[in-house]
Amino acid sequence: MQVTALIEDIKPDNSDLYSEKGLSIHIQRDDDNILFDTGVTGAFVDNARKLGIDLTAVDVTAISHGHFDHGGGLGRFMELNESSPVYLRPQSNGNHYFKAFYFLKKDIGLDKQLFADYADRIHLITKLTEIARDTYLLTDMPLKYPAPAGGKYLYMEKGNQLVPDDFSHEQMMVILEEDGMVIFSGCSHHGVLNMVEAALDQFPNTHIKALFGGFHFIGLPFFNHTAESKENIESIGSKLAEYPIERVYTGHCTGRKGYPLLKNVMGDSVDYIATGDTVKL
């Protein structure tokens, strides 16, 4: 399996790739081409071209949740790739907002027109679904551990009211291989520990070869503000180290301040994955 970050919050120095505060990951597994999230603007398409990855060959696409930094580039991808089905939760088509300081309110949802224009290719799932060979989307995540504190800034519309987002639009992806499983999360709004628990509940006694995704330690992105305390982040890192996880590749909403705290606890078992980075498993 080869995993490539098509777009991420940061990129290597002197790179001609684009970066943005979003996430898109390409997975090549034998003959399977899988796309997980599409970033903010569709710039991941340009990066893929520079990296020699043919997005017209993508067989299946999953969007982790209904926020623009993970599905904003979906329209451009759908125009480019004319066949890949796209899997989301039904609530991804809802209205989602970022709110702070009593006056700041920003629409962070997906383009609703896409759900009408590509109704034949968009699949809204409500349960465990196998989207490719040994590739599963998990929709049920327990809340054994607290959800990230940064979620307090995120809201969804119910009726005519804004209520705290319950992240019922979030899903995670698990790929099973002979020597273990690989977990993919977009922002881990349910909490990364809960998502690992969900994977192990579904596939018990399975070694975790790698965990990819953001952990949503960030609170106010424009201030690079970390919502979690140093103690909480280190506690999460310590707990992750107790699971049967071989490697952790994180970035995006983990934040530049959150990642070093994880690194202090987890050492060489955790790495920051930047735009253009490729991991072979």
Side-chain angles (χ1 to χ4, degrees):
M1 183 191 305
Q2 180 168 291
V3 180
T4 302
L6 297 182
I7 208 152
E8 242 284 351
D9 288 37
I10 64 172
K11 63 180 180 179
D13 293 338
N14 302 317
S15 170
D16 64 347
L17 299 173
Y18 298 101
S19 65
E20 61 188 17
K21 291 188 180 301
L23 179 67
S24 178
I25 294 175
H26 177 266
I27 302 105
Q28 176 75 52
R29 181 174 181 253
D30 298 328
D31 294 330
D32 294 331
N33 277 276
I34 303 166
L35 182 65
F36 186 76
D37 287 348
T38 62
V40 179
T41 65
F44 78 100
V45 173
D46 302 305
N47 286 346
R49 188 177 297 115
K50 293 177 181 179
L51 292 166
I53 294 174
D54 180 10
L55 293 181
T56 66
V58 167
D59 303 300
V60 64
T61 301
I63 303 299
S64 62
H65 60 292
H67 289 167
F68 77 103
D69 51 337
H70 295 259
L74 185 56
R76 185 175 180 193
F77 171 74
M78 299 290 266
E79 292 177 358
L80 176 69
N81 182 305
E82 299 180 352
S83 60
S84 172
V86 178
Y87 291 86
L88 308 95
R89 299 295 308 279
Q91 299 85 350
S92 297
N93 196 16
N95 295 319
H96 300 276
Y97 298 92
F98 173 89
K99 282 183 62 182
F101 306 123
Y102 300 100
F103 63 86
L104 179 60
K105 176 183 173 184
K106 179 182 179 181
D107 183 349
I108 58 172
L110 303 182
D111 181 357
K112 309 300 186 295
Q113 189 61 42
L114 293 175
F115 291 83
D117 292 345
Y118 297 101
D120 59 328
R121 293 174 58 189
I122 290 181
H123 302 269
L124 305 177
I125 66 170
T126 59
K127 61 182 180 180
L128 176 75
T129 302
E130 186 175 14
I131 61 172
R133 178 180 54 88
D134 295 326
T135 302
Y136 298 87
L137 294 179
L138 278 62
T139 58
D140 296 325
M141 284 155 271
L143 291 178
K144 180 178 177 180
Y145 298 96
K152 66 183 178 182
Y153 299 108
L154 302 174
Y155 290 77
M156 61 192 298
E157 193 171 79
K158 281 192 175 181
N160 295 320
Q161 291 186 325
L162 286 186
V163 298
D165 201 326
D166 62 7
F167 305 109
S168 53
H169 52 102
E170 185 173 46
Q171 59 187 358
M172 56 187 286
M173 186 169 73
V174 173
I175 299 178
L176 298 181
E177 299 205 301
E178 290 184 2
D179 55 348
M181 63 177 159
V182 182
I183 301 173
F184 296 87
S185 170
C187 268
S188 306
H189 287 294
H190 279 82
V192 62
L193 298 179
N194 292 322
M195 301 182 95
V196 171
E197 287 283 338
L200 291 172
D201 284 348
Q202 190 62 50
F203 306 105
N205 304 314
T206 303
H207 174 70
I208 302 172
K209 292 175 62 178
L211 165 64
F212 290 86
F215 299 160
H216 211 267
F217 294 153
I218 202 162
L220 302 172
F222 37 84
F223 291 139
N224 196 24
H225 165 257
T226 301
E228 297 290 344
S229 69
K230 175 179 181 292
E231 292 74 20
N232 281 351
I233 293 175
E234 290 178 341
S235 175
I236 291 169
S238 295
K239 184 61 182 177
L240 278 174
E242 296 176 9
Y243 285 101
I245 303 175
E246 194 172 330
R247 300 287 296 177
V248 174
Y249 299 93
T250 191
H252 183 46
C253 55
T254 297
R256 296 190 184 188
K257 294 180 179 178
Y259 171 70
L261 297 176
L262 278 183
K263 190 74 172 176
N264 287 342
V265 175
M266 300 181 68
D268 291 340
S269 65
V270 62
D271 283 305
Y272 197 107
I273 186 167
T275 302
D277 284 352
T278 293
V279 176
K280 293 184 179 181
L281 300 170

